[in-house]
Amino acid sequence: MPEWDVPHVLGAALAEGRLAFRDRARLERHQDALARTHLRWVLPRSPATADRFRAAGLPPERWRELPPVGKPWMMAHFGTLNTEGLTLEDVLRVGHAAERSRDFRPTVTGRSGEVVVGLSTGTSGSRGAFIVSRAERLRWAGVMLRHLLPGWPRGLLTPQRVAFVLRAEGGLYRSVQHRWLDLHFFDVLRPVEELAAALTAYRPTVLVGPPSVLRALHAAGATARPARVVSVAEVLDPDDEAALASAFGSVVQVYQATEGLLGLPCAHGHLHLNEAHVHIDLEPLGDGLVRPVITDLRRRAQPVIRHRLDDALRLHPQPCPCGLAARRVQAIVGRQDDALLLPGRAGNRLPVWPDVLRGVLADVRGLREYRVTQVGPHALILDLDPCTPDMAADATRAVHAALNRVGVDSAPLTLSTQSLTPLPAGHKRRRVTRAWTPPEVP
Ligand SMILES: [Zn+2]
């Protein structure tokens, strides 16, 4: 069933060329123009969005000042937020049924026609439901094509095979096939050896997947020489980047969330915010980290306006040699609630960002994989692979030294080590997580 609409996808891909702004002021004028058109369309159709402007006493043109909302608000107002006339119950029912049957294209019929449903995993059990219209999928495919196809536009002259190794939630944008462009989806819940053999046989020209899954496929014997490896859905640590580059070839990163396509690589392979389509405000979190508040200037089925994400990013201090005006991301550090909260030497509770520990643990010789979990106010568990006594001692020493450097009081701290059990297939790898919540934080 070809739903692949070539003129639309190519149109979106070609339009991207005109959206590569080099001048910041021009980029911002473009965002303002998009926002005006977008809000004129959304406000009469999305009562929940109109209510936000009313409650804040703001006219549409002052959208940048609208107080941010998050996923809980979005789920609580799903029925009056979306413009497809769908209820949250309908969408969740379709999403859950699809997960059980491993059907990757769960759809419901909305006002604009066929709408794809995706469920996001959430911390502390809060799942998000997301819908994407056909027009939105086609645009997404065009934008991805433009940014990921090697040697655009010459890349179109040779047949391209794009392998997506994704979890169920990646199905939100599952598009399709055409004679010169084949998109193939590999289900991460298949046994890894089987998946590795299928990937090798497919001979992808572009390979897209979470770094932990791509590394596992390589370890299971997958061989491929794609022109580009694209890391999605998980933090790409420098050790992942090095391992994937030597396994498959050069690696770029896409910053895609269910809330939107937030970052894309430039011609130099560096990650930039997708500011031609999404307005992104960055709230400081301390330690040079920022948290995005996004306004998707295109998305109509489920408007994403002044929506606060849980991600912590670090911007690159240097401008990119490519000359794009869109800001450059140095690292997606992880989710904000993955930051450990440890006793500081001043008697305070100190946030420790995941990259502090990932940096030192990547340097422990012979350590293949690890997980750090905070399980109590002073208690950390280190899951190590391999977990020999020497490895446990080295890793413990490295963690203590890193924590010491950032001002953690190591006296009350307990650090226990154990052997790492692999995550069940399909689970997102998070190397550093906090499983304990301080009582006073809601
Ligand atoms: Zn660049």
Side-chain angles (χ1 to χ4, degrees), residues 372-389:
V372 180
T373 316
Q374 180 173 3
V375 292
H378 309 125
L380 295 179
I381 295 179
L382 263 64
D383 289 80
L384 305 171
D385 169 32
C387 190
T388 59

Side-chain angles (χ1 to χ4, degrees), residues 264-272 319-324 326 328:
L264 288 158
C266 67
H268 290 246
H270 300 308
L271 183 64
H272 289 258
C320 187
C322 72
L324 286 180
R328 183 179 171 193

Side-chain angles (χ1 to χ4, degrees), residues 76-160:
H77 297 83
F78 188 89
T80 51
L81 170 67
N82 82 82
T83 63
E84 294 286 349
L86 298 169
T87 67
L88 183 61
E89 293 68 34
D90 290 342
V91 167
L92 286 175
R93 192 170 54 241
V94 170
H96 287 140
E99 277 186 350
R100 282 193 298 275
S101 64
R102 308 299 298 158
D103 162 13
F104 285 119
R105 287 201 48 249
T107 55
V108 287
T109 304
R111 286 193 189 115
S112 77
E114 189 192 63
V115 170
V116 176
V117 174
L119 302 183
S120 73
T121 51
T123 44
S124 59
S126 71
R127 302 201 71 184
F130 292 87
I131 53 170
V132 176
S133 71
R134 174 180 161 80
E136 287 163 348
R137 286 200 306 285
L138 294 174
R139 180 188 299 280
W140 174 88
V143 173
M144 290 286 271
L145 190 66
R146 175 69 178 77
H147 290 272
L148 297 187
L149 209 61
W152 171 271
R154 277 174 296 109
L156 282 177
L157 301 177
T158 47
Q160 299 286 340

Side-chain angles (χ1 to χ4, degrees), residues 418-440:
Q418 62 188 38
S419 193
L420 178 82
T421 44
L423 281 175
H427 279 243
K428 194 179 262 206
R429 181 191 68 182
R430 287 154 74 198
R431 282 172 160 166
V432 178
T433 56
R434 176 160 52 81
W436 164 82
T437 312
E440 69 268 40

Side-chain angles (χ1 to χ4, degrees), residues 299-434:
R299 197 161 167 169
R300 290 181 166 184
Q302 184 174 10
V304 177
I305 292 166
R306 299 280 298 153
H307 183 97
R308 184 183 274 131
L309 298 179
D310 188 32
D311 295 343
L313 315 180
R314 214 178 276 289
L315 290 189
H316 206 289
Q318 309 295 329
C320 187
C322 72
L324 286 180
R327 286 166 291 181
R328 183 179 171 193
V329 178
Q330 182 168 49
I332 301 159
V333 171
R335 297 215 285 239
Q336 197 200 341
D337 57 6
D338 285 339
L340 308 183
L341 292 171
L342 295 171
R345 280 196 284 270
N348 52 340
R349 197 171 269 147
L350 196 68
V352 177
W353 295 98
D355 56 341
V356 168
L357 297 180
R358 289 198 299 250
V360 292
L361 285 167
D363 289 339
V364 173
R365 279 172 70 94
L367 184 61
R368 282 192 294 266
E369 194 50 85
Y370 62 86
R371 204 151 53 224
V372 180
T373 316
Q374 180 173 3
V375 292
H378 309 125
L380 295 179
I381 295 179
L382 263 64
D383 289 80
L384 305 171
D385 169 32
C387 190
T388 59
D390 280 354
M391 188 60 76
D394 286 355
T396 304
R397 200 161 37 239
V399 168
H400 268 303
L403 295 179
N404 205 29
R405 256 199 311 280
V406 296
V408 171
D409 178 8
S410 52
L413 217 58
T414 61
L415 242 129
S416 50
T417 53
Q418 62 188 38
S419 193
L420 178 82
T421 44
L423 281 175
H427 279 243
K428 194 179 262 206
R429 181 191 68 182
R430 287 154 74 198
R431 282 172 160 166
V432 178
T433 56
R434 176 160 52 81

